[in-house]
Amino acid sequence: YVLLDEFVGLYAAVEEANRGLELRVAQRTSALARRNAEMRLVLDTVSQGLVTIDREGRVSGERSAAFDRWFGAPAAEELFAEHVARMDRKLEFSLRQGWEQLVENVMPLELNIQQMPQRMAVGNTSYSLAFTPILDDQEVNGALVTISDVTAEVAAERAEATEREFVRTFERAVQ
């Protein structure tokens, strides 16, 4: 009977430990769900297109709502270059080549990042691109891509250039 009493005691201890473990798992799951909801709120309200891409250049499942509004939701396993440059084969090629050089560590990291396209246009909308590498033991394992709508800035730059040209032309005509 002593062995049976020990067994019953051990069983009760295991049951208690199991209940404690289940409670901790439930608490952590709840905390994780809250953090995911908070992150989704950020991604749904930020005015920039935020997206991560993996080492092969594929778009991740998590991205900002602005990215999807501007470029549509990418297909599973779709490459970033293909997705954002659908109608611009030159831009797609430039993005692919730049990304390959970045992950293959052809040149210093900073120089590779500077070689990536920094602007692109889709229709009448201009965007700036910024690539922040995700490193794993000094190797590029992916990147956070930040895309901003700079259409107003580009229009202002064009207007300023036109005005400067007008002033130069006027100054030449007056001389």
Side-chain angles (χ1 to χ4, degrees):
Y1 295 108
V2 173
L3 192 56
L4 184 57
D5 287 341
E6 284 181 36
F7 178 75
V8 170
L10 286 173
Y11 184 79
V14 168
E15 285 289 309
E16 183 61 32
N18 193 29
R19 279 191 293 276
L21 182 59
E22 287 175 356
L23 178 61
R24 279 193 297 217
V25 167
Q27 289 170 337
R28 288 182 180 169
T29 301
S30 177
L32 182 60
R34 278 193 308 277
R35 286 183 27 207
N36 284 344
E38 290 168 356
M39 183 55 72
R40 184 78 258 155
L41 180 63
V42 169
L43 289 173
D44 285 347
T45 57
V46 71
S47 62
Q48 293 175 307
L50 300 174
V51 63
T52 55
I53 56 178
D54 67 12
R55 184 171 175 81
E56 285 73 38
R58 292 182 302 246
V59 177
S60 73
E62 291 300 321
R63 58 195 176 274
S64 68
F67 180 87
D68 284 356
R69 272 195 313 276
W70 295 338
F71 305 105
E77 304 291 312
E78 186 171 16
L79 294 174
F80 174 79
E82 288 177 358
H83 188 71
V84 299
R86 288 182 197 273
M87 304 307 231
D88 187 343
R89 294 297 163 212
K90 185 177 175 183
L91 174 63
E92 180 183 346
F93 178 79
S94 182
L95 285 166
R96 280 180 185 243
Q97 288 298 106
W99 184 250
E100 284 178 21
Q101 289 179 1
L102 187 66
V103 297
E104 290 175 6
N105 213 11
V106 173
M107 296 179 283
L109 181 61
E110 295 78 21
L111 187 57
N112 279 327
I113 292 170
Q114 289 175 356
Q115 297 298 318
M116 295 294 293
Q118 296 180 7
R119 289 249 173 126
M120 63 182 259
V122 177
N124 294 326
T125 306
S126 297
Y127 299 99
S128 70
L129 302 168
F131 295 83
T132 304
I134 299 169
L135 301 176
D136 184 16
D137 197 26
Q138 302 300 319
E139 287 191 25
V140 175
N141 199 33
L144 169 66
V145 183
T146 305
I147 305 170
S148 300
D149 183 338
V150 293
T151 305
E153 293 171 33
V154 170
E157 290 168 1
R158 285 186 188 138
E160 187 177 310
T162 300
E163 185 177 325
R164 277 194 311 270
E165 185 60 32
F166 176 76
V167 168
R168 271 186 254 148
T169 303
F170 180 74
E171 286 174 345
R172 277 189 236 130
V174 171
Q175 293 176 351

